[in-house]
Amino acid sequence: LPDVSALNLKHWELDAERHQLIVTVSSTQAVACCPLCQSLTGRIHSRYERTLQDLPLAQFGLTILLEVGKFFCLNET
Ligand SMILES: [Zn+2]
């Protein structure tokens, strides 16, 4: 997960029948570092959702829906 200070809790839902806690969070990260050239960029290309499964929370399974941004690298080389 990204740093917790860059996450926004958008929604949570407890599905008692399926024993699932579903939490939707979005990243508020405004700047990212390119994994290839390490340049910083704030230009967001698009947003997409990742589904993460985590260890059970009490008797409930935990699913995290994480919305993150995909950034453009502005380094021309
Ligand atoms: Zn780059």
Side-chain angles (χ1 to χ4, degrees), residues 20-36:
Q20 281 287 316
L21 175 62
I22 302 164
V23 178
T24 304
V25 293
S26 64
S27 171
T28 59
Q29 183 177 353
V31 177
C33 182
C34 174
L36 298 178

Side-chain angles (χ1 to χ4, degrees), residues 3-77:
D3 182 357
V4 70
S5 65
L7 292 177
N8 178 38
L9 174 63
K10 295 181 69 178
H11 179 77
W12 67 271
E13 176 182 339
L14 185 60
D15 186 335
E17 285 187 16
R18 293 178 36 216
H19 296 275
Q20 281 287 316
L21 175 62
I22 302 164
V23 178
T24 304
V25 293
S26 64
S27 171
T28 59
Q29 183 177 353
V31 177
C33 182
C34 174
L36 298 178
C37 70
Q38 281 69 49
S39 296
L40 291 177
T41 180
R43 187 169 171 201
I44 294 178
H45 172 271
S46 60
R47 299 187 69 79
Y48 66 101
E49 187 175 277
R50 292 180 179 171
T51 301
L52 310 172
Q53 302 289 328
D54 203 350
L55 294 173
L57 182 64
Q59 73 270 32
F60 297 99
L62 178 60
T63 299
I64 301 170
L65 304 177
L66 173 63
E67 298 173 1
V68 295
K70 184 182 285 186
F71 291 81
F72 276 119
C73 177
L74 301 177
N75 183 348
E76 295 178 6
T77 61

